Amino acid sequence: MAERLFNFNAGPAALPLEVLMQAQEEFVDYQNGGISLLEMSHRHKRVEEMNQETQALLLELMNLKKGYHVLFMGGGASSQFALIPLNLLQQQQFAAYALSGSFSEKAYQEAKYVGEARIIASSKDQNWSQIPQLNTQMIEPDCSYVHITSNNTIEGSRYNSIPQTNKIPLIADMTSDILSRKLDFDKFAMIYAGAQKNLGPAGVTTVIIHEDLLQNASKQIPLILRYETFVKNQSLYNTPPVHAIYMMNLMLKWAVKQGGIGALEQQNKQKAKRVYEVIDNSNGFYQGFIDLKDRSDMNITWRMSSEELEQQFVNESLLHGFEGLAGHRSIGGLRASAYNAVPLKACQALAEFMIEFQRQHE
Ligand SMILES: *Cc1c(COP(=O)(O)O)cnc(C)c1O
């Protein structure tokens, strides 16, 4: 095998080598059953067991107890932008959105097609360089839910604390930081995440929803769009993305082996610190986008003095075995996504490369 690259892709993103190797080992013959998982019915006992085990593992890692259901859905996190208001935005009420980056804005725009959606806080005028301040006065009682994006993948910012919502259900898009840090997950009525950043490969979206939130869910929408349908059928109402769920299963077992979320968080802090230190000590050669207090450990973003220099940085980084450092096409600059599966040594190597690049180009 060719040497593995230092993979800083934003998503789909790095998976642990041992997870890939185990999947390879089991690929043709799943658990000595004579056929592969890809060829099995989703009603097969082994698939059902794997599905349930994956749900239980996720709840356990997040320390979520009774009342929460784990759903595996298709359509990516983007489909949730529409499914959330379709299911949960009550008639005569409104949905509250805090805008902290472009994904949160997309979520808000989709909700407007469904009903009344209001922006209760936004940092758009600050070019998303910080997390908008939320307070309970902004949240009125006739509000069906409050939606936030806990980590802003494109911009590189994150909430450091969970906003208070006066008992209004809080919903978070955690696509790019789920399982990366400890949070009181039971403060959320619903959490969702496309798997392809911290949970596994593309193709499955995880929804963690509290049953209280389902009580008033809409019965006006088709069954296939209802969370309730997925809860009642353990996500086996129709054919789920079985192989993607299986990869997530392996990923969750890997996370347990690393010591769980607490251990991963410590590791992630160290990883991000390496790169931020280089940015902060570069005398402006590298310039972070985000206010220091709101920086993400998952997506580290910065600019350089010209687009030519940024391009040169990307080109040279590729030659040195780094993958995925160009910023999102919508904002440019550079971005290193250091999700759970990215090892510390990749961030160390990146930090060294950045120091050397500055020495040669300053
Ligand atoms: C990647 C991402 C999305 C989009 O996910 P898809 O699965 O491609 O729809 C939405 N929100 C956040 C925070 C993301 O990081």
Side-chain angles (χ1 to χ4, degrees):
M1 188 170 75
E3 203 173 328
R4 274 174 66 79
L5 300 175
F6 295 120
N7 185 353
F8 290 99
N9 277 325
L15 294 166
L17 182 58
E18 52 183 285
V19 164
L20 294 170
M21 300 295 279
Q22 191 182 341
Q24 182 186 44
E25 203 173 290
E26 293 187 321
F27 188 71
V28 175
D29 186 3
Y30 183 62
Q31 296 183 350
N32 300 317
I35 53 173
S36 78
L37 184 66
L38 296 168
E39 304 165 293
M40 272 183 204
S41 164
H42 57 295
R43 310 282 172 208
H44 193 292
K45 194 160 172 290
R46 287 198 174 155
V47 177
E48 251 177 52
E49 279 169 10
M50 186 279 290
N51 177 44
Q52 295 208 359
E53 183 186 60
T54 312
Q55 296 174 21
L57 271 167
L58 188 60
L59 290 178
E60 199 176 305
L61 271 163
M62 296 173 82
N63 198 22
L64 286 172
K65 304 268 155 58
K66 274 193 103 51
Y68 283 95
H69 298 276
V70 176
L71 319 181
F72 298 131
M73 304 182 74
S78 303
S79 290
Q80 297 301 321
F81 297 167
L83 289 173
I84 289 165
L86 281 167
N87 278 273
L88 304 172
L89 176 48
Q90 308 290 328
Q91 305 224 330
Q92 320 296 336
Q93 292 200 342
F94 71 97
Y97 283 78
L99 304 197
S100 53
S102 35
F103 280 123
S104 60
E105 192 172 35
K106 282 187 168 165
Y108 161 70
Q109 280 161 350
E110 292 288 68
K112 282 202 298 181
Y113 286 107
V114 178
E116 194 188 339
R118 292 185 198 156
I119 299 170
I120 55 164
S122 172
S123 55
K124 190 172 186 179
D125 289 348
Q126 288 81 46
N127 266 324
W128 308 127
S129 62
Q130 51 183 258
I131 292 293
Q133 292 303 311
L134 277 170
N135 63 54
T136 45
Q137 274 100 53
M138 296 165 170
I139 301 159
E140 288 157 67
D142 57 339
C143 169
S144 292
Y145 59 82
V146 177
H147 181 280
I148 65 166
T149 307
S150 55
N151 185 85
N152 299 285
T153 322
I154 294 174
E155 297 79 10
S157 67
R158 71 166 187 199
Y159 284 81
N160 281 304
S161 59
I162 304 172
Q164 300 286 329
T165 59
N166 270 346
K167 301 220 162 67
I168 305 291
L170 178 61
I171 298 178
D173 178 356
M174 288 198 190
T175 297
S176 52
D177 67 339
I178 192 166
L179 301 190
S180 74
R181 56 175 167 149
K182 277 190 150 165
L183 286 173
D184 292 331
F185 296 108
D186 58 5
K187 297 256 157 56
F188 297 88
M190 173 175 162
I191 291 165
Y192 64 99
Q196 68 273 19
K197 285 149 194 174
N198 267 311
L199 289 177
V204 59
T205 307
T206 305
V207 172
I208 302 157
I209 191 166
H210 195 278
E211 56 200 20
D212 290 349
L213 195 57
L214 292 167
Q215 273 166 14
N216 299 321
S218 172
K219 305 265 196 269
Q220 311 297 316
I221 58 172
L223 286 173
I224 188 65
L225 303 180
R226 294 187 200 173
Y227 294 130
E228 199 185 9
T229 305
F230 284 75
V231 170
K232 278 190 180 150
N233 297 281
Q234 301 267 2
S235 298
L236 294 170
Y237 173 74
N238 71 324
T239 320
V242 175
H243 198 264
I245 297 169
Y246 159 75
M247 292 298 293
M248 191 194 299
N249 180 289
L250 298 184
M251 217 25 213
L252 296 178
K253 286 175 182 159
W254 174 85
V256 171
K257 238 169 99 182
Q258 305 309 301
I261 298 186
L264 288 165
E265 178 175 23
Q266 290 314 313
Q267 172 95 345
N268 289 332
K269 266 190 196 156
Q270 270 194 53
K271 280 154 51 184
K273 193 165 160 237
R274 285 294 147 95
V275 182
Y276 282 131
E277 269 171 4
V278 175
I279 294 172
D280 295 342
N281 293 329
S282 72
N283 289 319
F285 186 77
Y286 302 113
Q287 298 149 26
F289 289 18
I290 300 296
D291 288 6
L292 302 195
K293 65 177 177 23
D294 293 332
R295 280 172 163 178
S296 166
D297 282 351
M298 291 289 96
N299 308 100
I300 302 158
T301 52
W302 70 93
R303 284 185 217 287
M304 298 168 68
S305 61
S306 71
E307 278 179 37
E308 291 71 41
L309 193 58
E310 290 174 351
Q311 192 54 54
Q312 200 172 353
F313 182 94
V314 171
N315 294 344
E316 285 190 31
S317 75
L318 290 169
L319 297 175
H320 285 79
F322 296 93
E323 163 88 7
L325 291 172
H328 190 270
R329 60 200 145 74
S330 63
I331 59 170
L334 288 307
R335 171 175 56 172
S337 297
Y339 300 124
N340 282 347
V342 174
L344 178 61
K345 73 171 196 297
C347 292
Q348 275 164 344
L350 175 59
E352 281 161 28
F353 171 76
M354 288 170 75
I355 290 167
E356 184 56 24
F357 186 88
Q358 178 172 6
R359 207 180 56 77
Q360 285 180 13
H361 295 272
E362 202 165 27

Coordinates of all heavy atoms in Angstrom, one line a residue, residues 259-298:
G259 N -11.1 5.6 24.5 CA -11.4 6.1 25.8 C -12.6 6.9 25.9 O -12.9 7.6 26.9
G260 N -13.4 6.9 24.8 CA -14.6 7.7 24.8 C -14.4 9.1 24.5 O -13.3 9.6 24.1
I261 N -15.5 9.9 24.6 CA -15.5 11.3 24.2 C -14.5 12.1 25.0 O -13.8 13.0 24.4 CB -16.9 11.9 24.3 CG1 -17.9 11.2 23.4 CG2 -16.9 13.4 23.9 CD1 -19.3 11.8 23.4
G262 N -14.4 11.9 26.3 CA -13.4 12.7 27.1 C -12.0 12.6 26.6 O -11.3 13.6 26.4
A263 N -11.6 11.3 26.3 CA -10.2 11.1 25.8 C -10.1 11.7 24.4 O -9.0 12.3 24.1 CB -9.9 9.6 25.8
L264 N -11.1 11.6 23.6 CA -11.0 12.1 22.2 C -10.9 13.7 22.3 O -10.2 14.3 21.5 CB -12.2 11.7 21.4 CG -12.2 10.2 20.9 CD1 -13.6 9.8 20.5 CD2 -11.2 10.0 19.9
E265 N -11.7 14.3 23.2 CA -11.6 15.7 23.4 C -10.2 16.2 23.7 O -9.7 17.2 23.2 CB -12.6 16.1 24.4 CG -12.6 17.6 24.7 CD -13.7 18.1 25.7 OE1 -14.1 17.3 26.5 OE2 -14.0 19.3 25.6
Q266 N -9.6 15.5 24.7 CA -8.2 15.9 25.1 C -7.3 15.8 23.9 O -6.5 16.7 23.6 CB -7.7 15.0 26.2 CG -8.4 15.2 27.5 CD -8.5 16.7 27.9 OE1 -7.6 17.4 27.8 NE2 -9.7 17.1 28.3
Q267 N -7.4 14.8 23.1 CA -6.6 14.6 21.9 C -6.8 15.7 20.9 O -5.9 16.3 20.3 CB -6.9 13.2 21.4 CG -6.3 12.9 20.0 CD -5.0 12.1 20.2 OE1 -4.4 12.0 21.3 NE2 -4.6 11.5 19.1
N268 N -8.1 16.0 20.7 CA -8.5 17.0 19.7 C -8.0 18.4 20.1 O -7.6 19.2 19.3 CB -10.0 17.1 19.6 CG -10.6 15.8 18.9 OD1 -9.8 15.2 18.1 ND2 -11.8 15.4 19.1
K269 N -8.0 18.7 21.4 CA -7.5 20.0 21.9 C -6.0 20.1 21.6 O -5.6 21.1 21.1 CB -7.6 20.0 23.4 CG -8.9 20.7 23.9 CD -8.8 20.9 25.4 CE -10.2 21.2 25.9 NZ -10.4 20.9 27.4
Q270 N -5.3 19.0 21.9 CA -3.8 19.1 21.6 C -3.6 19.2 20.1 O -2.6 20.0 19.7 CB -3.2 17.7 22.0 CG -2.8 17.6 23.4 CD -1.9 16.4 23.5 OE1 -1.0 16.1 22.7 NE2 -2.3 15.5 24.5
K271 N -4.3 18.5 19.3 CA -4.1 18.6 17.8 C -4.3 20.0 17.3 O -3.5 20.5 16.6 CB -5.2 17.6 17.1 CG -4.8 16.2 17.2 CD -6.0 15.2 17.1 CE -6.9 15.6 15.9 NZ -8.1 14.7 16.0
A272 N -5.5 20.6 17.7 CA -5.8 21.9 17.2 C -4.8 23.0 17.8 O -4.4 23.9 17.0 CB -7.2 22.3 17.7
K273 N -4.4 22.8 19.0 CA -3.4 23.7 19.6 C -2.1 23.8 18.8 O -1.6 24.9 18.6 CB -3.1 23.2 21.0 CG -2.4 24.3 21.9 CD -2.5 23.9 23.4 CE -1.4 24.6 24.1 NZ -0.5 23.7 24.9
R274 N -1.6 22.7 18.3 CA -0.4 22.7 17.5 C -0.5 23.6 16.4 O 0.4 24.4 16.1 CB -0.2 21.3 16.9 CG 0.3 20.2 17.9 CD 1.7 20.6 18.3 NE 1.9 20.1 19.7 CZ 2.5 19.0 20.0 NH1 3.0 18.2 19.1 NH2 2.6 18.6 21.3
V275 N -1.6 23.6 15.7 CA -1.8 24.4 14.5 C -2.1 25.8 14.8 O -1.5 26.7 14.2 CB -2.9 23.8 13.6 CG1 -3.0 24.5 12.3 CG2 -2.6 22.3 13.2
Y276 N -3.0 26.0 15.8 CA -3.3 27.4 16.2 C -2.0 28.1 16.7 O -1.9 29.3 16.5 CB -4.4 27.4 17.3 CG -5.8 27.2 16.7 CD1 -6.7 26.3 17.2 CD2 -6.2 28.0 15.6 CE1 -7.9 26.1 16.7 CE2 -7.5 27.8 15.1 CZ -8.4 26.9 15.6 OH -9.6 26.7 15.1
E277 N -1.2 27.4 17.4 CA 0.1 28.0 17.9 C 0.9 28.6 16.7 O 1.5 29.7 16.8 CB 0.9 27.0 18.7 CG 0.5 27.1 20.2 CD 1.2 25.9 21.0 OE1 2.0 25.1 20.4 OE2 0.9 25.9 22.2
V278 N 1.0 27.8 15.7 CA 1.8 28.2 14.5 C 1.1 29.5 13.9 O 1.8 30.5 13.6 CB 1.9 27.1 13.4 CG1 2.5 27.7 12.2 CG2 2.6 25.9 14.0
I279 N -0.2 29.5 13.8 CA -0.9 30.6 13.3 C -0.6 31.9 14.1 O -0.3 32.9 13.6 CB -2.4 30.4 13.2 CG1 -2.7 29.3 12.1 CG2 -3.2 31.6 12.9 CD1 -4.2 28.8 12.1
D280 N -0.8 31.7 15.4 CA -0.7 32.8 16.4 C 0.7 33.4 16.5 O 0.9 34.5 16.9 CB -1.2 32.4 17.7 CG -2.7 32.1 17.7 OD1 -3.4 32.6 16.7 OD2 -3.3 31.5 18.6
N281 N 1.7 32.5 16.2 CA 3.1 32.9 16.4 C 3.7 33.3 15.0 O 4.9 33.5 14.9 CB 3.9 31.8 17.0 CG 3.5 31.6 18.4 OD1 3.1 32.5 19.1 ND2 3.6 30.3 18.9
S282 N 2.9 33.5 14.0 CA 3.4 33.7 12.7 C 3.6 35.2 12.3 O 3.9 35.5 11.2 CB 2.6 33.0 11.6 OG 1.3 33.7 11.5
N283 N 3.3 36.1 13.3 CA 3.3 37.5 13.0 C 2.5 37.9 11.8 O 2.9 38.8 11.0 CB 4.8 38.0 12.7 CG 5.6 38.0 14.0 OD1 5.1 38.4 15.1 ND2 6.8 37.5 13.9
G284 N 1.3 37.3 11.7 CA 0.4 37.7 10.6 C 0.6 37.0 9.3 O -0.1 37.3 8.3
F285 N 1.6 36.2 9.2 CA 1.8 35.4 7.9 C 0.6 34.5 7.7 O 0.1 34.4 6.6 CB 3.1 34.6 8.0 CG 3.5 33.9 6.7 CD1 4.0 34.6 5.7 CD2 3.3 32.5 6.6 CE1 4.4 34.0 4.5 CE2 3.6 31.9 5.4 CZ 4.2 32.6 4.3
Y286 N 0.2 33.9 8.8 CA -1.1 33.1 8.8 C -2.1 33.9 9.6 O -1.8 34.3 10.8 CB -0.9 31.7 9.4 CG 0.1 30.9 8.7 CD1 1.3 30.5 9.3 CD2 -0.1 30.4 7.3 CE1 2.2 29.7 8.7 CE2 0.9 29.7 6.7 CZ 2.0 29.3 7.4 OH 3.0 28.5 6.7
Q287 N -3.3 34.2 9.1 CA -4.3 34.9 9.9 C -5.6 34.1 10.0 O -6.2 33.7 9.1 CB -4.6 36.2 9.1 CG -3.5 37.2 8.9 CD -3.6 38.0 7.6 OE1 -4.7 38.2 7.1 NE2 -2.5 38.4 7.0
G288 N -5.9 33.9 11.3 CA -7.1 33.1 11.6 C -8.3 33.9 11.2 O -8.3 35.2 11.3
F289 N -9.4 33.3 10.8 CA -10.7 33.9 10.5 C -11.5 34.3 11.8 O -12.4 35.2 11.7 CB -11.7 33.0 9.8 CG -11.4 32.6 8.4 CD1 -10.1 32.7 7.8 CD2 -12.4 32.1 7.6 CE1 -9.9 32.3 6.5 CE2 -12.2 31.6 6.3 CZ -10.9 31.7 5.8
I290 N -11.3 33.5 12.8 CA -12.3 33.4 13.9 C -11.8 34.1 15.2 O -10.6 33.9 15.5 CB -12.7 32.0 14.1 CG1 -13.2 31.3 12.9 CG2 -13.6 31.8 15.3 CD1 -14.5 31.9 12.4
D291 N -12.6 34.8 15.9 CA -12.3 35.3 17.2 C -11.7 34.2 18.1 O -12.3 33.1 18.1 CB -13.5 35.9 17.9 CG -14.0 37.2 17.3 OD1 -13.4 37.6 16.2 OD2 -14.9 37.8 17.8
L292 N -10.7 34.4 18.8 CA -10.0 33.4 19.5 C -10.9 32.6 20.4 O -10.8 31.3 20.5 CB -8.8 34.0 20.4 CG -7.8 34.8 19.7 CD1 -6.6 34.9 20.6 CD2 -7.3 34.1 18.4
K293 N -11.8 33.2 21.1 CA -12.7 32.5 22.0 C -13.7 31.5 21.4 O -14.2 30.7 22.0 CB -13.5 33.6 22.9 CG -14.5 34.4 22.1 CD -15.3 35.3 22.9 CE -16.2 36.2 22.2 NZ -16.8 35.9 20.9
D294 N -13.9 31.7 20.1 CA -14.9 30.9 19.4 C -14.3 29.9 18.4 O -15.0 29.3 17.6 CB -15.9 31.8 18.7 CG -16.8 32.6 19.6 OD1 -17.0 32.2 20.7 OD2 -17.2 33.7 19.2
R295 N -13.0 29.7 18.5 CA -12.4 28.8 17.5 C -12.8 27.4 17.7 O -12.9 26.9 18.8 CB -10.9 28.9 17.7 CG -10.2 30.1 17.0 CD -8.8 30.1 17.5 NE -8.0 31.0 16.6 CZ -6.7 31.2 16.8 NH1 -6.1 30.6 17.9 NH2 -6.0 31.9 16.0
S296 N -12.9 26.7 16.6 CA -13.2 25.3 16.6 C -12.0 24.4 16.7 O -10.9 24.8 16.2 CB -13.9 25.0 15.3 OG -14.0 23.6 15.1
D297 N -12.1 23.3 17.4 CA -11.0 22.3 17.4 C -11.1 21.4 16.2 O -10.1 20.7 15.9 CB -11.0 21.5 18.6 CG -10.4 22.2 19.8 OD1 -9.8 23.3 19.6 OD2 -10.5 21.7 21.0
M298 N -12.2 21.4 15.5 CA -12.4 20.5 14.4 C -12.0 21.1 13.1 O -11.4 20.4 12.2 CB -13.9 20.1 14.3 CG -14.4 19.2 15.5 SD -13.7 17.5 15.4 CE -12.3 17.7 16.5

